[in-house]
Amino acid sequence: MGLLSFFQKLLGGGPSIAGGSPHSKSGNGKGDMQLACAECKKTFVFEHGEQRFYEQRGLTPPKRCTNCRRKRGRRRR
Ligand SMILES: [Zn+2]
């Protein structure tokens, strides 16, 4: 192994990373939840990492998709 390829690995290099998260390749059977948005009725993914984040803070799972949440947050004064 050359030094160059070593550094490329260190930097997480390689064209395979570009475009999309590397985790979601094997499907979403890894604890991700599908929730229905209370506002636009669309289903959105409540990721496993997010679930833990909410759990740790004693928060209830979001009822709205990120889109609707963003809209609401902007309107708040
Ligand atoms: Zn929504």
Side-chain angles (χ1 to χ4, degrees):
M1 181 168 81
L3 193 61
L4 187 64
S5 60
F6 173 73
F7 275 120
Q8 278 174 342
K9 249 187 195 172
L10 252 188
L11 296 169
S16 58
I17 301 283
S21 55
H23 295 293
S24 55
K25 252 181 191 172
S26 52
N28 54 354
K30 217 179 176 186
D32 287 355
M33 277 171 70
Q34 297 271 338
L35 296 178
C37 175
E39 207 155 315
C40 67
K41 309 296 181 195
K42 280 182 188 169
T43 52
F44 64 98
V45 179
F46 188 30
E47 283 171 39
H48 186 65
E50 278 182 288
Q51 290 174 41
R52 279 184 59 186
F53 178 85
Y54 274 72
E55 237 170 62
Q56 280 169 1
R57 279 145 200 269
L59 300 167
T60 50
K63 289 192 177 70
R64 293 173 187 83
C65 68
T66 42
N67 254 337
C68 293
R69 265 186 285 162
R70 207 174 293 156
K71 275 188 211 163
R72 292 205 132 222
R74 208 183 284 162
R75 212 177 293 158
R76 203 203 309 168
R77 40 170 160 158

